Amino acid sequence: MTYPQLRSEDPEIGHETSSGTAPLVLAALGVVYGDIGTSPLYAFREALHATAGLGSHRDNVFGILSLIVWALTVVVTVKYVTFVLKADNHGEGGTLSLMTLARESIPGRPLWIMVLGVAGASLFLGDAIITPAISVLSAVEGIQVVAPALSHWVVPITLTIIAMLFIIQRFGTGGVAAVFGPVMALWFAVLGISGGIHILDDPAILGAINPIHAIQYAGNNVGLAITVLGAVFLAVTGAEALYVDLGHFGRRPIVIAWFVFVFPCLLLNYFGQGAFVLANPDMASHPFFGMHPDWARVPIVCLATAATVIASQAVISGAYSLVRQAMHLNLLPRMQILHTSETHSGQIFIPQVNSFLFVFVVALVLYFRSSSGLSAAYGIAVTGEMLITSILLFVVMRHVWNWKMLSAAAVIVPLLLIDTGFFAANIAKFPDGGWVPITVASIMGLMMQTWISGRRLLAARTRADEIPLRSIIDRLAQKKPPTVPGTAIFLTSDVEGAPTALLHSLKHYKVLHEQNIILSVVTAATPFVPDDDKIFLESFNPLFSRLVITFGYMETPNIPRVLALARKLGLSFDIMSTSFFLSRRTILPSKKGGMPFWQDRLFIALARNAGTATDYFGLPSGRVVELGLQTVI
């Protein structure tokens, strides 16, 4: 059914902001580029370690550096900056936004696209537990260079920083975020300056920009190629953040920040590390910290730690946003969402997600105990997500941008080959730690698949027991029961059926309110729905009306706030004399159900731990009446 929309200009509901480009560029440095900006701490080092000391040291440095330079150029600059950032879903980015855009563009909304989206979202959450662990560990390990006697304090200090990072999440990041941009601007400046200075150690290192060095190195080290590629990929981890945070800053500030600050500074630092290692082969174990003079190492360790905390904060916030999207798209059960800012709706805190991430991050630090050990776990989730992004981008090129098959293939096929190569290289690290993100992603994927299937079964069972709304209204018009003063709002997910809460209310109370509103909340395929398109009101008779509220999948579905729009359509009610009726279902498993018995149990556990509709929709708890019933799935 297509619903006509109300046109409204309510300033209390709408939210539009505008900012200058320069502040957004600075903010993007702090949020978007935190992860990829801390890669110089370990990417070049791990790639050198992967050579196992075989071959010419100089050829290894030139070959690895050339691979890193062209990975940054092709994966980040060409793929993400040039193409992926243009595939926005009404200004929003990220795996689920791209999935929704691609799925809506094809008639029939094919299931395989949703499967890819779920897989990509699951892999992102797998990545989200590794980034804080490896980033903070790699920074704190600078102590081993500054004061080797304190090396045994690396893990305790890392755990302390991580604990503090997760504890402060509930207080919001608004105040801290104000310094993210300047700190990361300083970090990139230090990267560029220190790298530029050490290029003078061996200026010939600039020749590594020639891709021939990368090709020759791969050809001469076939046996090591997979291992080295897995380490080289660490230089581009964080590229997905460009797309995930598209809605926060817009494409232009992200692109400007990349070309003006991030890309040049990263290149200078990697070239500087290469030249430094050529001049000082004995410092290959810690080239980043080793290339700074003694007086600067302590400040550099402190700055690196701050940068890694910022990088971790960005991925944690991204996990909150991703889970909220998944909840609104009915891929995950409702969870409690706390807003930490009165002015920015995107600043949220989800306690259950925070606890989940904290437990896994601490476990990873205790298990691997070093960034080198964790590097084996890093990469599979990111490369898998990048591979999925390329496939969905091809769908968008063909069906949204209307590119011809040859043109789309000319762009996507080379990118797919590169993504596949990196994915294969990281899969080789599965026994050494790559199983970690795969395990987490598998758990999340199973939860999403169970929730989707369980909700579908539950909806089918409920629909079989429901009576068409029109039929109930016609019966009540013929034989009107007694009425009581006030307004009753009955929430239902089925727009056409009579709410179960209404049927049970009539059965037990045998009365109606003077005004009865059948309310359904639907989620649009767009991230935000304009205020003048949010609401549809249909009046059946003086007793009954139907209200359909449409939210975008990035919005917080606050019903009382949006009900103010209904007054413009003549709907008059006093919230203090209004009762919200909900049906609370107790789900029972069935051995002959549509899912395996164990999966029924999992779905029931997810449903029991889901947040209440009262909290999720922002309903006044003192005005909510819940009617319970049992359903067998």
Side-chain angles (χ1 to χ4, degrees), residues 399-472:
H399 298 280
V400 179
W401 298 347
N402 296 317
W403 282 25
K404 293 182 178 180
M405 175 64 78
L406 189 61
S407 301
V411 172
I412 293 298
V413 169
L415 294 179
L416 274 175
L417 290 175
I418 293 172
D419 289 339
T420 303
F422 277 128
F423 184 69
N426 281 279
I427 282 292
K429 298 190 293 184
F430 185 88
D432 301 320
W435 53 270
V436 172
I438 295 297
T439 301
V440 174
S442 299
I443 293 172
M444 294 306 304
L446 175 62
M447 290 174 60
M448 290 186 190
Q449 188 273 327
T450 299
W451 187 250
I452 294 168
S453 299
R455 275 181 52 86
R456 190 177 294 119
L457 283 173
L458 185 59
R461 300 285 192 274
T462 304
R463 198 174 298 114
D465 298 332
E466 283 185 347
I467 302 172
L469 179 61
R470 294 276 187 177
S471 175
I472 288 292

Side-chain angles (χ1 to χ4, degrees), residues 104-134:
E104 293 293 323
S105 69
I106 300 179
R109 303 175 68 198
L111 179 63
W112 66 269
I113 292 182
M114 187 176 75
V115 171
L116 283 178
V118 167
S122 301
L123 288 168
F124 178 85
L125 291 174
D127 173 46
I129 70 168
I130 300 176
T131 295
I134 191 173

Side-chain angles (χ1 to χ4, degrees), residues 542-567:
L543 276 176
F544 283 94
S545 302
R546 174 163 58 194
L547 192 63
V548 180
I549 300 176
T550 304
F551 291 100
Y553 61 78
M554 285 291 290
E555 296 182 276
T556 299
N558 188 301
I559 288 178
R561 192 178 178 208
V562 179
L563 281 176
L565 293 172
R567 292 192 173 93

Side-chain angles (χ1 to χ4, degrees), residues 292-310:
H292 294 91
D294 292 341
W295 62 266
R297 288 179 181 173
V298 172
I300 288 297
V301 170
C302 295
L303 181 60
T305 303
T308 56
V309 168
I310 291 173

Side-chain angles (χ1 to χ4, degrees), residues 281-605:
D282 56 315
M283 295 298 291
S285 58
H286 281 288
F288 179 83
F289 292 106
M291 62 194 264
H292 294 91
D294 292 341
W295 62 266
R297 288 179 181 173
V298 172
I300 288 297
V301 170
C302 295
L303 181 60
T305 303
T308 56
V309 168
I310 291 173
S312 302
Q313 176 62 58
V315 79
I316 293 169
S317 300
Y320 296 155
S321 297
L322 180 80
V323 170
R324 180 171 70 167
Q325 288 184 41
M327 288 160 49
H328 294 343
L329 292 171
N330 293 320
L331 301 176
L332 284 174
R334 291 190 297 259
M335 301 181 199
Q336 182 185 22
I337 297 178
L338 303 179
H339 290 266
T340 60
S341 172
E342 296 181 357
T343 57
H344 297 86
S345 63
Q347 291 186 18
I348 60 175
F349 171 67
I350 305 179
Q352 289 166 289
V353 176
N354 194 66
S355 299
F356 171 85
L357 292 177
F358 174 68
V359 170
F360 272 90
V361 170
V362 169
L364 284 180
V365 173
L366 291 174
Y367 182 81
F368 288 98
R369 307 190 70 83
S370 72
S371 60
S372 293
L374 263 170
S375 68
Y378 211 20
I380 291 182
V382 183
T383 52
E385 190 177 2
M386 287 183 172
L387 195 57
I388 289 171
T389 297
S390 295
I391 297 170
L392 294 178
L393 179 63
F394 178 75
V395 176
V396 170
M397 285 178 168
R398 292 281 294 125
H399 298 280
V400 179
W401 298 347
N402 296 317
W403 282 25
K404 293 182 178 180
M405 175 64 78
L406 189 61
S407 301
V411 172
I412 293 298
V413 169
L415 294 179
L416 274 175
L417 290 175
I418 293 172
D419 289 339
T420 303
F422 277 128
F423 184 69
N426 281 279
I427 282 292
K429 298 190 293 184
F430 185 88
D432 301 320
W435 53 270
V436 172
I438 295 297
T439 301
V440 174
S442 299
I443 293 172
M444 294 306 304
L446 175 62
M447 290 174 60
M448 290 186 190
Q449 188 273 327
T450 299
W451 187 250
I452 294 168
S453 299
R455 275 181 52 86
R456 190 177 294 119
L457 283 173
L458 185 59
R461 300 285 192 274
T462 304
R463 198 174 298 114
D465 298 332
E466 283 185 347
I467 302 172
L469 179 61
R470 294 276 187 177
S471 175
I472 288 292
I473 291 174
D474 291 342
R475 291 185 198 176
L476 294 175
Q478 295 173 6
K479 188 177 180 180
K480 183 180 176 182
T483 58
V484 295
T487 301
I489 298 180
F490 297 91
L491 271 73
T492 177
S493 58
D494 187 350
V495 179
E496 303 296 338
T500 306
L502 171 61
L503 299 178
H504 280 253
S505 177
L506 286 170
K507 177 181 178 181
H508 293 288
Y509 304 138
K510 297 180 174 58
V511 296
L512 280 175
H513 285 70
E514 289 178 334
Q515 182 174 222
N516 300 274
I517 301 172
I518 311 302
L519 174 61
S520 295
V521 176
V522 297
T523 302
T526 54
F528 298 97
V529 174
D531 302 328
D532 50 8
D533 292 336
K534 263 188 169 64
I535 194 166
F536 163 71
L537 178 64
E538 179 182 13
S539 180
F540 298 114
N541 57 41
L543 276 176
F544 283 94
S545 302
R546 174 163 58 194
L547 192 63
V548 180
I549 300 176
T550 304
F551 291 100
Y553 61 78
M554 285 291 290
E555 296 182 276
T556 299
N558 188 301
I559 288 178
R561 192 178 178 208
V562 179
L563 281 176
L565 293 172
R567 292 192 173 93
K568 296 181 180 294
L569 290 179
L571 186 64
S572 177
F573 64 95
D574 179 8
I575 191 69
M576 296 310 297
S577 61
T578 298
S579 296
F580 294 87
F581 286 83
L582 311 175
S583 59
R584 175 175 283 273
R585 297 183 178 276
T586 299
I587 306 171
L588 303 176
S590 171
K591 293 184 178 180
K592 297 181 180 179
M595 295 190 297
F597 191 71
W598 65 268
Q599 201 166 18
D600 281 347
R601 291 288 187 181
L602 176 58
F603 175 70
I604 291 170

Side-chain angles (χ1 to χ4, degrees), residues 100-168:
T100 307
L101 182 66
R103 198 170 183 223
E104 293 293 323
S105 69
I106 300 179
R109 303 175 68 198
L111 179 63
W112 66 269
I113 292 182
M114 187 176 75
V115 171
L116 283 178
V118 167
S122 301
L123 288 168
F124 178 85
L125 291 174
D127 173 46
I129 70 168
I130 300 176
T131 295
I134 191 173
S135 297
V136 177
L137 256 178
S138 62
V140 177
E141 283 173 346
I143 293 175
Q144 296 173 344
V145 177
V146 176
L150 300 178
S151 296
H152 61 283
W153 284 98
V154 169
V155 171
I157 292 174
T158 298
L159 292 175
T160 302
I161 293 172
I162 287 172
M164 292 175 60
L165 175 64
F166 280 97
I167 288 172
I168 66 170

